[in-house]
Amino acid sequence: MSRTLIVTAVQAEADAVCAGLMGSWSRSRGPSTEVPSAPVSPDWDRQLLTTSTLGPYVGRRRGPVTVLAAGTGGPAAAAGAAVALAVAAAAGDPFTLVLSMGVAGGFRGWAEIGDLAVATQLVAADLGAESGLEDLREPAGKVHEMDRSLGFHSTGAPPLPRATSSSADGKFLTLDDLDLGSSTIVPEPGLVDRLATVVCITGRRIVTGPVLSVATGTGTELRAATLTARLDPVAEGMEGYAVGTAAAAFGVPAGEIRAISNQVGRRDRGSWNLPAALASLRTAAGALVAHPDGLLAVADAARPPIGR
């Protein structure tokens, strides 16, 4: 049977995904003076998730779909995904598809809060090297404030070192440029099309394009503009490339779906909307198991694109 591993970073993301996997149901609110309602019970035999032990990790499973919160950032995500893949393979019940899912920042002009992003590329945006010349010259005639207060260098101060970012005058070298591998994982087009088609039933706006994986979240407009100019991405997370790397080591196809919680740029936590992003993540997971071509139907990445 085809099996899917969904890897999130934190437990809140895993909870949202699991809520989607359980399907739509509601508890009775009990007697009401306004509108009496009868109890509505879920089909627990079908919908209740079970625990899945994967080495030192504990995941949750519904049928062929297992959800694992592996931790924040690339190293934790790669370790968790690799262990889960190895344990499943050793047990003779290997995963056949891996998805990185979670919340993310959206790049302006591409993705807004609440949108869902399906990655056409999983990009390690800051894995590589900077190349360029540093400008160590101080503007002529500038006097150091301490020297000025002490009365020294009345006719001007000697040059003082002032380093500027090499990336401003040079270029960023990817792993490809350095001949150290590739900074980009490209999912099969058929998988990307299928995922985008399936999550369309959520009613959310769907965007497709490169999704960046970074070790340090972008917190300035300058860095956001630099990444946009270099990579033209739709969203920024932290784990997708690492999850894809682990999957590639086992020859398993991988994809990434992100729910947008904020705009990439100047860090402003007050403008984030995590509840909206988690709600979108939940509906995306629900679509993945509710759609006729979703994960419960088949997890074959080689299947031709549908409905597009």
Side-chain angles (χ1 to χ4, degrees):
M1 180 176 65
S2 297
R3 293 189 62 204
T4 300
L5 173 67
I6 297 178
V7 182
T8 71
V10 298
Q11 198 61 52
E13 294 168 325
D15 288 344
V17 171
C18 287
L21 296 182
M22 289 174 67
S24 299
W25 63 276
S26 61
R27 294 185 185 276
S28 169
R29 296 180 180 178
S32 169
T33 57
E34 298 179 359
V35 182
S37 59
V40 178
S41 300
D43 180 357
W44 289 110
D45 290 339
R46 179 178 63 84
Q47 293 179 329
L48 186 61
L49 303 178
T50 57
T51 329
S52 178
T53 303
L54 300 162
Y57 301 92
V58 176
R60 283 174 283 177
R61 179 174 180 175
R62 175 185 172 187
V65 184
T66 298
V67 182
L68 173 67
T72 303
V83 167
L85 287 161
V87 169
D93 193 15
F95 291 105
T96 54
L97 175 65
V98 179
L99 295 179
S100 174
M101 294 183 67
V103 302
F107 283 85
R108 288 184 176 85
W110 278 112
E112 304 293 333
I113 291 175
D115 290 351
L116 289 169
V118 178
T120 57
Q121 299 177 45
L122 286 59
V123 185
D126 50 13
L127 188 57
E130 290 183 331
S131 174
L133 297 175
E134 291 184 327
D135 182 4
L136 298 178
R137 297 171 297 173
E138 189 73 15
K142 182 174 181 179
V143 180
H144 194 280
E145 291 303 320
M146 182 176 289
D147 288 348
R148 187 194 303 278
S149 65
L150 295 176
F152 299 146
H153 307 300
S154 58
T155 59
L160 295 174
R162 179 176 64 88
T164 60
S165 172
S166 61
S167 60
D169 301 314
K171 63 173 293 189
F172 184 84
L173 302 177
T174 66
L175 295 184
D176 308 75
D177 297 325
L178 298 168
D179 199 24
L180 294 175
S182 179
S183 297
T184 302
I185 294 173
V186 181
E188 289 293 327
L191 174 60
V192 175
D193 286 344
R194 175 167 159 248
L195 292 177
T197 299
V198 167
V199 297
C200 267
I201 69 171
T202 62
R204 263 64 171 182
R205 192 168 76 98
I206 311 301
V207 296
T208 59
V211 174
L212 307 186
S213 296
V214 296
T216 302
T218 297
T220 66
E221 296 295 342
L222 176 59
R223 186 170 190 242
T226 301
L227 291 172
T228 297
R230 181 162 66 88
L231 298 166
D232 194 23
V234 298
E236 173 187 285
M238 301 183 80
E239 297 85 19
Y241 176 83
V243 172
T245 298
F250 287 82
V252 178
E256 183 172 11
I257 299 174
R258 291 282 172 173
I260 305 304
S261 61
N262 60 283
Q263 294 288 297
V264 176
R266 183 176 65 85
R267 185 172 176 82
D268 176 16
R269 284 298 300 266
S271 67
W272 291 20
N273 193 334
L274 285 172
L278 291 172
S280 291
L281 192 64
R282 183 180 67 246
T283 61
L288 289 173
V289 295
H291 194 282
D293 293 284
L295 302 181
L296 297 188
V298 62
D300 183 4
R303 180 173 181 156
I306 60 171
R308 293 179 72 84

